[in-house]
Amino acid sequence: MFGKFKRFFAVAGVSTLLAACQIIPGGNTGPANTPAPEPTPSQSTLPQDEARHRVALLVPLTGTNAGVGQSIANATTMALLDTNADNLRITTYDTAKGAKTAADRAVADGNKLILGPLLGDNVPSVLAAAAPANVPLISFSNDVSVASSDVFVMGHIPEQSVARTVDYAMSQGSRRFAALTPKGEYGDRAAKALAKAVEARGGQMVASQSYDRGNSFIISAAKKLSAQGGFDTVLIADGARLSAIAAAQLKKAGDDLPHILGTELWSGEASIANAAALRGAWFSSVPDARYRRFVESYEARFGSKPYRIATLGYDSVLLTLRIARDWKPGRNFPVSRLKASDGFIGLDGIFRFGPDGVGERGMETRQIGNGTVSVVAPAPDKFKN
C-alpha cells in the first residue's frame, strides 16, 4: 500500500475556530465545488459487487457544511485514483438531508463500512442504523465522547495538540501556566487538557480566563489575566488573528515572557508567521509537508483549495485499502484490524485507534519566527508501544 501511496506524491508535484464537532474550520478559498448528485437506492441502480467492497461516505453535500463535505468527497476520489484502487465502491450519502435517512440507505445498499459522519452530533443517528447491521463507523469528528467499540474517531484531537505542546514547553523551561480560552465546548476542552497535561508533567496551573469570542472580549480577558501574573507560559486556544491580539496584551515590547502556546487551530493559517506578538510561540499539529503536495494536486483536479479536514477523507481510504487486503467482499468489516498497535500512515502522518476508538496521532511542534514557521520537534515516524 505504501508503495502505491507514494505515487500520489508524484501526481501532486504536477498538479476558524473548530468548536469540537459543531463548527468546521475554513480553508477553501477557491470557487465552490459542485455538489455530488444524490445517490439512489441500490436495489435498482447499484450493480452487484462480487469483487468490490461497498463503503459508504456520509458527509453533508448541501446546507451550511456542504463545501466541507464535498471537499472530503473529492479527497476520497483522489485517494482511489492515486492508488489505482479497483476493489472499493464508495457511494456518497448526504447527511444534511437527515443523518438517519442517509445511514438507513447506506445500510440498505449493502455497505459494510461507513466513513463519516462529519459531525459528532450525527453519530447517534447513524449508529442507530449501522449497529444492528454490524457496520462500523470511522467518523471525521474530533468529538471523543462519541467514540466506542463501533465508532472510531479520526478527527484531530485538540487535547493531543495541547499535551504535545506542553511537553515541548516544559523541555524549554516552562513551569507556571495560564489559560486564555473562548467560552464553549472547544475552550473548555482546551482548558481541561492544559490543566491535565501540566499536572501530569509536574508543572503548575496559575491562572485562567475565558471570554466571548471577539476583539474587545479577548483583549479584556488578556488584560485581566496579565494583571493576575505569576505565570511564565500562556495557552491561547483560538485562531491566529485573535491569538495575536491577545498576545500583544500579554507581552510587553521586547519581553520574551510569557511564552505563548497555541493549538492545532493555527495550522495552515499563514498570518501567524507575520504576527509580531506571536514570535517565539509554539503550537503542535499533524505534519503539513504532505498536505502541501495534496493541495497542489487537489487544485489541479478540482480548481479550488481543499478544506484542511479533507485529508481525513483521503486517509480513510488508505486505511480501508490496507485492511481490504484480507477482507473478503460481502463479509462484515474486520473491526479488530482498526486497532493495530503499529497504526497507519497517511497525509497527516501516523495514526492509530486506541481501545476506546479515539484516534491517536503523531504530532510535530512548530515555532513562529519573523515571517517563518519552523518545526522544532518533528513528529514521530512510528509509535513506541
Side-chain angles (χ1 to χ4, degrees):
M1 167 54 59
F2 189 66
K4 290 185 177 180
F5 177 54
K6 289 193 289 186
R7 286 203 295 271
F8 158 74
F9 299 133
V11 173
V14 296
S15 12
T16 245
L17 177 68
L18 172 62
C21 59
Q22 299 301 323
I23 301 176
I24 306 303
N28 188 316
T29 56
N33 294 306
T34 303
E38 183 179 351
T40 51
S42 65
Q43 290 90 331
S44 59
T45 59
L46 289 182
Q48 295 297 316
D49 292 304
E50 296 182 358
R52 288 200 285 183
H53 300 286
R54 285 190 175 178
V55 177
L57 176 66
L58 268 63
V59 290
L61 297 176
T62 55
T64 304
N65 291 317
V68 185
Q70 188 63 53
S71 193
I72 292 173
N74 289 344
T76 62
T77 298
M78 284 179 60
L80 292 174
L81 294 173
D82 292 338
T83 57
N84 293 325
D86 58 3
N87 61 341
L88 296 184
R89 174 182 293 280
I90 298 181
T91 307
T92 307
Y93 301 82
D94 185 3
T95 54
K97 296 182 177 180
K100 178 63 163 55
T101 300
D104 283 337
R105 294 180 64 182
V107 172
D109 284 351
N111 292 285
K112 300 299 183 181
L113 173 67
I114 290 177
L115 305 179
L118 174 62
L119 302 180
D121 279 355
N122 287 342
V123 168
S125 297
V126 174
L127 190 60
N134 294 316
V135 176
L137 281 57
I138 299 178
S139 173
F140 303 126
S141 168
N142 65 1
D143 183 355
V144 297
S145 70
V146 302
S148 69
S149 59
D150 297 317
V151 180
F152 297 82
V153 173
M154 195 172 180
H156 302 165
I157 310 300
E159 288 86 348
Q160 294 176 15
S161 170
V162 172
R164 172 73 162 155
T165 308
V166 169
D167 275 340
Y168 184 78
M170 294 195 74
S171 76
Q172 301 302 303
S174 293
R175 291 296 179 269
R176 297 168 64 83
F177 292 78
L180 189 61
T181 57
K183 294 179 180 178
E185 185 177 353
Y186 184 86
D188 291 344
R189 288 177 65 179
K192 291 177 182 177
L194 178 65
K196 181 179 179 180
V198 168
E199 180 182 0
R201 292 156 180 79
Q204 184 178 358
M205 281 297 301
V206 175
S208 65
Q209 284 287 332
S210 61
Y211 56 89
D212 293 310
R213 297 198 72 236
N215 294 11
S216 61
F217 295 116
I218 198 170
I219 289 173
S220 177
K223 288 180 176 179
K224 290 178 181 178
L225 189 65
S226 186
Q228 293 181 50
F231 48 82
D232 55 41
T233 306
V234 180
L235 172 72
I236 307 175
D238 214 314
R241 186 182 68 82
L242 287 179
S243 294
I245 291 173
Q249 299 297 320
L250 294 167
K251 298 182 73 169
K252 295 180 180 179
D255 285 358
D256 292 330
L257 295 178
H259 296 301
I260 302 298
L261 310 182
T263 71
E264 82 291 343
L265 295 179
W266 290 4
S267 180
E269 292 204 36
S271 62
I272 58 174
N274 298 312
L278 294 179
R279 287 175 190 168
W282 302 310
F283 71 100
S284 299
S285 184
V286 295
D288 255 356
R290 291 170 181 161
Y291 175 69
R292 288 190 286 270
R293 303 174 199 178
F294 167 75
V295 171
E296 294 174 3
S297 182
Y298 187 103
E299 288 183 295
R301 280 176 165 142
F302 302 107
S304 62
K305 292 182 181 298
Y307 283 79
R308 183 61 182 84
I309 198 174
T311 54
L312 299 182
Y314 194 105
D315 287 354
S316 68
V317 174
L318 296 183
L319 164 72
T320 304
L321 285 172
R322 173 174 163 179
I323 293 178
R325 295 172 181 172
D326 303 311
W327 173 30
K328 294 183 179 180
R331 301 285 183 87
N332 287 339
F333 183 81
V335 176
S336 62
R337 293 178 190 170
L338 285 174
K339 301 176 182 179
S341 60
D342 58 341
F344 308 91
I345 187 169
L347 296 177
D348 291 333
I350 60 171
F351 65 100
R352 65 181 176 183
F353 297 104
D356 57 358
V358 175
E360 175 188 356
R361 293 187 172 275
M363 293 191 172
E364 66 184 18
T365 302
R366 305 175 200 163
Q367 178 173 296
I368 300 171
N370 185 6
T372 63
V373 178
S374 58
V375 176
V376 291
D381 56 10
K382 61 181 179 179
F383 291 105
K384 293 181 180 180
N385 49 49

